Amino acid sequence: PRTATTVAQLGPIPPEPPQPTPTTTSPPPPPPTTPPPPPSPTYLVGDSLTDMNRAIIAPVFDDCGAEVRLHSLSARRIEQGYEWNGRWVNSGLDEIDQILAATDPATWIIELGSNDLQDLRTEEEAHRLIRTVLDRIGDNDRVLWTTVLWPHYSTATEIFNAALRITPGIELVDWYAVGGNHLVDPVHPTDEGARLLASMYCDALHG
């Protein structure tokens, strides 16, 4: 005889569990940015034009936001150190060496050459003096060089400035072009002239 098949009775089908509502997530915030390092100081190696006017020049640099370290000394020559008025005057090259022994500037202002005019006769000699400074500093640094102004040595002044103008790798700060009406003696600037020179440095640095 045929056996009856028992069909199991199924209970009610439970509802599907609710699906979580998708949420929109914001991307994680970017990591904090590291502020750029402050610009490295500019080093000014000069003679009495800037040495005797530190109190006037420094506030001008502060006002224009330029951090400039003054390494100037009256009577300084480019490569010759000597005794003057009972004290030793180190050369510009010596001062550059001392700076490089302590730090590695990226920008230089050179205010040298006036005290070398008395012995300057040829443009070749002017080029040699300029080149000794640039070789000591290095090729990758920015160099601003101040033209000289000393009417008593007019021929040597023209020779030195002409050499500066055709030397690659330097930016001129042309004190010769504007300083003639701002001299308190044959070579040094008046107070207003010193402010003007410092402003020219600021314009050149920010240019």
Side-chain angles (χ1 to χ4, degrees):
R2 180 176 295 176
T3 304
T5 302
T6 303
V7 178
Q9 299 296 316
L10 298 177
I13 300 174
E16 293 186 3
Q19 299 297 314
T21 303
T23 59
T24 302
T25 58
S26 300
T33 58
T34 303
S40 59
T42 296
Y43 282 76
L44 191 160
V45 180
D47 53 36
S48 57
L49 270 70
T50 44
D51 183 33
M52 293 173 60
N53 293 287
R54 290 172 180 267
I56 296 171
I57 290 173
V60 178
F61 286 142
D62 291 341
D63 289 344
C64 78
E67 185 180 357
V68 179
R69 308 281 174 85
L70 284 171
H71 286 252
S72 298
L73 185 63
S74 294
R76 176 175 280 152
R77 302 183 67 163
I78 290 177
E79 66 177 354
Q80 179 182 342
Y82 63 104
E83 188 171 335
W84 180 72
N85 285 350
R87 65 177 177 87
W88 182 255
V89 179
N90 72 338
S91 70
L93 295 180
D94 291 339
E95 191 66 22
I96 290 169
D97 285 343
Q98 291 179 24
I99 293 169
L100 289 173
T103 186
D104 186 17
T107 304
W108 301 78
I109 298 174
I110 304 299
E111 184 270 300
L112 293 171
S114 296
N115 294 304
D116 294 278
L117 297 177
Q118 57 190 318
D119 298 323
L120 189 65
R121 301 291 181 269
T122 67
E123 193 166 316
E124 289 74 20
E125 176 63 10
H127 278 297
R128 189 190 68 78
L129 289 171
I130 295 165
R131 193 71 250 170
T132 59
V133 172
L134 298 179
D135 288 346
R136 197 64 57 95
I137 288 173
D139 293 333
N140 296 323
D141 293 346
R142 184 183 182 194
V143 179
L144 286 64
W145 200 310
T146 317
T147 55
V148 296
L149 172 61
W150 197 336
H152 181 72
Y153 297 107
S154 59
T155 300
T157 294
E158 293 174 4
I159 290 172
F160 193 82
N161 287 340
L164 282 176
R165 294 184 196 284
I166 63 174
T167 299
I170 61 176
E171 302 170 44
L172 286 186
V173 178
D174 203 353
W175 173 241
Y176 175 83
V178 301
N181 294 324
H182 300 280
L183 297 180
V184 70
D185 60 28
V187 66
H188 298 103
T190 62
D191 290 355
E192 187 58 35
R195 291 188 191 93
L196 173 61
L197 178 59
S199 296
M200 293 170 68
Y201 289 143
C202 284
D203 290 344
L205 287 171
H206 294 312

